[in-house]
Amino acid sequence: VGVPGIAAADPPPLPNINAFPSARPSDYSVMDGAWYAFGALDGVTCVLDKQSGGYGCSGPIPAAPGGANVVSAGASGKPGFANAARTLYGVVEDAKALPPNPRLTFRTVSCGTDGFATTCVNSADQSGFVLSPDGSYTFG
């Protein structure tokens, strides 16, 4: 007698961040031009590192695995969640909020929000992450 399996819920489809119009990067330039940073969600700061090509977000990430407060990736490869004693990007205080539907891009990485979830996608290897009250996750 077979027992029906329990299917894992598929994550919701990714918003097409690259279809959003581009935000003006100079409006989000911080750290003497080394980073683009923006505020996302409540108290989460996201950064695109212009020196290394890395990207990530830190702060109270909603519904993060293991209660993680950081998600980050290098210039390539799948991002990962972690817990840090202090916010990784906390040196950027009061980062300017990125409004819904424009995207901020550096090289192959684009980040944006639809007003509910914040998504970053690396088009070079189709990896990235989604931060959402419905569940935060990485892909790629």
Side-chain angles (χ1 to χ4, degrees), residues 18-100:
N18 287 315
F20 292 173
S22 183
R24 198 165 92 183
S26 60
D27 289 347
Y28 299 91
S29 184
V30 298
M31 302 292 291
D32 293 326
W35 291 354
Y36 294 134
F38 65 93
L41 309 168
D42 290 330
V44 174
T45 299
C46 299
V47 166
L48 296 133
D49 186 327
K50 293 170 49 183
Q51 295 172 341
S52 71
Y55 61 103
C57 299
S58 70
I61 296 173
N69 62 357
V70 175
V71 61
S72 63
S76 64
K78 185 177 178 178
F81 285 98
N83 286 293
R86 60 180 177 80
T87 57
L88 187 61
Y89 305 119
V91 296
V92 180
E93 292 185 23
D94 300 320
K96 180 178 178 172
L98 186 64

